[in-house]
Amino acid sequence: MGRCESCIIRQFNSLRAMSKEELKKVSDTKITKFIKKGEAIFEEGEKLNGVYCVRSGISKLSKLSANGKDQIVKLATQGEVLGQRSVIATETANLSAVAVSDMEVCFIPKEQILNTLQKNPNFAVEVLRHMAHDLKEADDVIVNMSQKTVKQRIAEAFIYLKNNFGEDAEGFLNLTLPREDIANVVGTATESAIRIISEFKKKNLLKTSGKRIGIANEKGLQDLAEGLK
Amino acid sequence: MGRCESCIIRQFNSLRAMSKEELKKVSDTKITKFIKKGEAIFEEGEKLNGVYCVRSGISKLSKLSANGKDQIVKLATQGEVLGQRSVIATETANLSAVAVSDMEVCFIPKEQILNTLQKNPNFAVEVLRHMAHDLKEADDVIVNMSQKTVKQRIAEAFIYLKNNFGEDAEGFLNLTLPREDIANVVGTATESAIRIISEFKKKNLLKTSGKRIGIANEKGLQDLAEGLK
DNA sequence: GCGCGAACCTGATAAATGTCATAGTTTCCG
DNA sequence: CGGAAACTATGACATTTATCAGGTTCGCGC
């Protein structure tokens, strides 16, 4: 079994969800693509002919707002599937997927997905379960966005980055996003993000070394994110 | 298969295709519950034993934030299903469901739902499709919340209320939410919502009569919501 | 190393929004 | 009817955040 299949399986968390035959088919039709940092996998409004499994690297999923700013809705990493929502709902892509690091993805045609959904209830239920989880996360983001201050959201973002992408031996985040991207994750102006990050450095909540950013005081950040001050 | 299940299935198949008579027939079930305005159907954190179909009335789905404010994530009306996300993901409820008008709902045990999902691929795919759509809407809300001003979001909210719940012969909204609920939909302070609604009245974008609110200039509101000023 | 563009940083200021206080209005119920 | 409770309204002020306008530093190709 290739990595592409394990990607699907990991995502949907069920070895039994797809039959051997189905997996074979996926394996036969897969196409591997390399995407350079900064390049798009697909753009908002595009019609998708399939989904993309992330084999390596990280992608930002974002949407352009009327005022010309990108809002980053999600960061996807190894093992996640991009475009499934649009394929399932048979709608054009609602978000753009752009690589924030060099990536390797594999493509699975939508016919394959839709076909398996129809024929394999276990697979459908696993996908459904996964989407239900995504929906909960989205609801949580809505609450955070509307009820927390920018400072709280930035603190939260760094904790998210640590938990999801990890840190190196020296305690710096594996994924260092430019300030502009951080601003777009929390939905604020780049200057505001920079100002708050500087403030966090002064308060020894964060540390930097060149471009790298690390968490210096996780509990402090956590308390701040939760409004305990 | 009982009437309740077909209610669910039809709901996902084609909301628009359902006539009022169909809806009534479909939600005509033995396990009916009446909920008075202000009462909760379920609360955040509660373990759900099934889902609730809305037979009549309107419910707000909201989540309490750390600072003690409710964020209303969605308003659900006749024909919609509450609690499906939690039941499918087998998690406790992420949101509270509270009636904003007197309601009648029918209850369907989770075993029936999970069972049907396993046995009926079409049902699973339809539920999946519906959830994919909800997820898109949630992403859109995230972008709106973080990129639009309070004024824009309030303008948008009134257009949403008109489109989803309609207006009476005199042009007043069928669903008149208290200012506090409106504030909680757009994620702002009640006073701010009141101030902006007053401003809209002065600009003849909205009209009021007693407690009722109506849209006086839809295009004006729409332009404002989209930032065209 | 040099230069140049991109990223980062900072200050001044304006605009948006929240908070607190207080008063007017409507609704509801006995 | 009358009065309490809930809702609506508005002013004054504090705080947060955006915007504009300049700087500085960093990384990288030459």
Side-chain angles (χ1 to χ4, degrees):
Chain A
M1 190 192 309
R3 283 190 209 147
C4 197
E5 293 78 354
S6 70
C7 171
I8 293 265
I9 285 168
R10 193 206 289 210
Q11 160 90 9
F12 299 125
N13 194 30
S14 165
L15 281 165
R16 278 149 294 166
M18 265 193 174
S19 70
K20 262 190 183 172
E21 192 189 339
E22 282 163 348
L23 281 169
K24 178 83 169 46
K25 245 197 255 173
V26 164
S27 163
D28 289 345
T29 50
K30 80 172 179 195
I31 303 164
T32 300
K33 256 183 161 176
F34 294 88
I35 290 132
K36 288 223 179 79
K37 178 175 172 174
E39 286 179 359
I41 302 174
F42 54 80
E43 302 270 9
E44 189 182 337
E46 203 174 296
K47 202 179 142 208
L48 300 185
N49 296 316
V51 301
Y52 297 85
C53 293
V54 179
R55 231 175 114 165
S56 68
I58 297 167
S59 166
K60 61 177 174 185
L61 293 165
S62 67
K63 180 163 182 168
L64 209 60
S65 69
N67 62 19
K69 271 188 196 161
D70 252 1
Q71 174 64 37
I72 297 177
V73 170
K74 192 183 161 130
L75 292 168
T77 182
Q78 196 174 52
E80 296 208 65
V81 178
L82 310 177
Q84 57 179 325
R85 199 213 60 79
S86 304
V87 164
I88 287 167
T90 56
E91 293 168 353
T92 57
N94 191 38
L95 307 170
S96 298
V98 173
V100 296
S101 65
D102 287 350
M103 297 182 75
E104 195 180 342
V105 301
C106 66
F107 176 84
I108 299 165
K110 67 176 172 190
E111 292 76 20
Q112 201 85 74
I113 300 291
L114 296 176
N115 201 23
T116 310
L117 281 176
Q118 281 290 343
K119 290 189 179 159
N120 186 338
N122 284 321
F123 179 68
V125 170
E126 286 304 327
V127 175
L128 190 51
R129 204 161 280 162
H130 189 267
M131 205 166 282
H133 182 257
D134 276 359
L135 188 54
K136 175 190 174 165
E137 285 200 335
D139 283 344
D140 288 347
V141 171
I142 291 171
V143 176
N144 280 340
M145 282 296 183
S146 45
Q147 302 286 0
K148 290 193 174 178
T149 65
V150 171
K151 210 174 284 186
Q152 289 177 301
R153 282 179 272 153
I154 289 187
E156 212 165 35
F158 280 109
I159 291 168
Y160 171 85
L161 290 176
K162 179 183 168 181
N163 291 340
N164 284 270
F165 306 111
E167 52 187 16
D168 62 22
E170 296 163 83
F172 291 101
L173 295 170
N174 285 331
L175 177 64
T176 296
L177 290 173
R179 307 291 193 269
E180 187 182 358
D181 279 350
I182 293 171
N184 290 344
V185 167
V186 302
T188 189
T190 306
E191 296 96 319
S192 297
I194 287 173
R195 236 181 276 274
I196 289 169
I197 291 171
S198 296
E199 189 192 322
F200 285 178
K201 275 196 291 189
K202 272 180 204 134
K203 290 184 179 166
N204 284 317
L205 296 167
L206 294 177
K207 59 183 176 181
T208 58
S209 165
K211 251 193 165 175
R212 296 183 303 166
I213 299 181
I215 291 178
N217 176 357
E218 183 162 1
K219 175 149 190 352
L221 274 184
Q222 189 84 56
D223 288 352
L224 205 157
E226 284 163 14
L228 306 177
K229 246 310 157 36
Chain B
M1 184 183 294
R3 286 180 190 150
C4 247
E5 293 82 339
S6 71
C7 164
I8 299 270
I9 287 175
R10 288 194 195 203
Q11 134 109 28
F12 293 125
N13 268 328
S14 61
L15 279 170
R16 277 171 302 171
M18 266 164 88
S19 68
K20 272 185 185 167
E21 289 76 21
E22 275 175 326
L23 269 171
K24 184 154 189 318
K25 199 167 103 184
V26 143
S27 55
D28 184 20
T29 173
K30 306 158 220 163
I31 321 168
T32 298
K33 256 185 163 176
F34 294 88
I35 290 129
K36 288 223 179 80
K37 178 174 172 174
E39 285 180 359
I41 302 174
F42 55 80
E43 301 270 9
E44 189 182 336
E46 202 174 299
K47 204 180 143 206
L48 300 185
N49 296 315
V51 302
Y52 299 85
C53 293
V54 179
R55 203 170 144 173
S56 68
I58 297 167
S59 167
K60 60 178 174 184
L61 293 165
S62 67
K63 180 164 181 167
L64 209 60
S65 68
N67 62 19
K69 272 187 195 160
D70 252 2
Q71 174 65 37
I72 297 177
V73 170
K74 192 182 161 127
L75 293 168
T77 183
Q78 198 174 52
E80 296 208 64
V81 178
L82 310 177
Q84 55 180 325
R85 200 212 59 78
S86 304
V87 164
I88 286 166
T90 56
E91 294 167 354
T92 57
N94 191 40
L95 306 169
S96 298
V98 172
V100 296
S101 65
D102 287 349
M103 298 183 73
E104 195 180 342
V105 301
C106 67
F107 176 83
I108 300 157
K110 67 176 171 188
E111 291 75 20
Q112 282 185 44
I113 299 292
L114 297 175
N115 203 20
T116 311
L117 280 176
Q118 283 289 342
K119 289 188 179 160
N120 185 340
N122 284 321
F123 176 68
V125 170
E126 285 306 326
V127 174
L128 190 52
R129 203 160 279 164
H130 189 266
M131 205 165 283
H133 181 257
D134 275 359
L135 189 54
K136 175 190 174 166
E137 283 199 337
D139 283 344
D140 288 347
V141 172
I142 291 171
V143 176
N144 279 341
M145 282 297 182
S146 46
Q147 303 285 0
K148 290 192 174 178
T149 66
V150 172
K151 211 173 285 187
Q152 289 178 301
R153 281 179 271 154
I154 290 187
E156 212 165 36
F158 280 109
I159 291 169
Y160 171 86
L161 289 176
K162 178 182 168 183
N163 290 340
N164 283 270
F165 306 110
E167 53 188 17
D168 63 22
E170 296 163 84
F172 291 102
L173 294 169
N174 286 331
L175 177 64
T176 296
L177 290 173
R179 308 290 194 267
E180 187 182 358
D181 279 350
I182 293 172
N184 290 344
V185 166
V186 303
T188 190
T190 305
E191 295 96 321
S192 297
I194 288 173
R195 236 180 274 275
I196 290 169
I197 291 171
S198 296
E199 188 193 321
F200 285 178
K201 275 196 291 188
K202 274 180 203 133
K203 291 183 179 167
N204 284 318
L205 296 167
L206 294 178
K207 59 183 175 181
T208 59
S209 165
K211 250 194 165 174
R212 297 182 304 166
I213 299 181
I215 292 178
N217 176 358
E218 182 161 1
K219 175 150 190 351
L221 273 184
Q222 189 84 57
D223 287 353
L224 205 157
E226 284 163 15
L228 306 177
K229 249 303 159 43

